[in-house]
Amino acid sequence: MYCRRVFINIWRKIESYDQSKGRLFTWMLNIARNASIDTLRSKSYQNSQKNQELPDNVYKGVANQTTQMNVDTIGLKKVLEKLKPEHRGIGGISLF
């Protein structure tokens, strides 16, 4: 649909192409680029890209996982164990 609109636009504006100003390919590319920018700036496109609510089933399976498992999988516990006890501070106490 989008490409069709660009080609129709090129077809309608072909008389405005000036060979002395540049290649035909560059002229057509600029028309396509401008159409893309217009689409990205349009309200309908911006509204379609807004955040949408996640369905309830997205959170299934996450409830059984614990924070402890996630911290272990990223290796934070191992890193903190390498620190001297006085340098672990609140981070080590609150996580483990």
Side-chain angles (χ1 to χ4, degrees):
M1 177 76 173
Y2 177 76
C3 291
R4 187 181 324 155
R5 283 189 293 146
V6 170
F7 279 113
I8 290 172
N9 201 8
I10 290 170
W11 181 264
R12 289 181 180 158
K13 294 181 177 185
I14 194 68
E15 293 177 8
S16 69
Y17 168 66
D18 185 3
Q19 190 175 12
S20 66
K21 292 184 179 179
R23 294 179 20 210
L24 177 64
F25 175 79
T26 307
W27 179 79
M28 292 188 317
L29 187 66
N30 281 329
I31 290 176
R33 181 185 56 116
N34 291 340
S36 297
I37 291 170
D38 291 345
T39 300
L40 292 174
R41 289 180 179 167
S42 71
K43 286 285 185 188
S44 61
Y45 179 81
Q46 290 178 7
N47 287 338
S48 70
Q49 298 300 310
K50 287 185 179 179
N51 291 338
Q52 300 174 1
E53 283 191 41
L54 293 174
D56 292 335
N57 62 355
V58 170
Y59 300 107
K60 289 183 179 177
V62 177
N64 296 335
Q65 296 177 353
T66 64
T67 306
Q68 185 66 35
M69 284 181 13
N70 291 336
V71 170
D72 288 342
T73 57
I74 63 172
L76 185 59
K77 186 174 182 178
K78 291 178 184 178
V79 172
L80 288 175
E81 287 173 350
K82 291 180 182 179
L83 293 174
K84 294 179 183 178
E86 61 267 17
H87 293 135
R88 290 183 193 168
I90 296 175
I93 294 170
S94 65
L95 293 175
F96 311 104

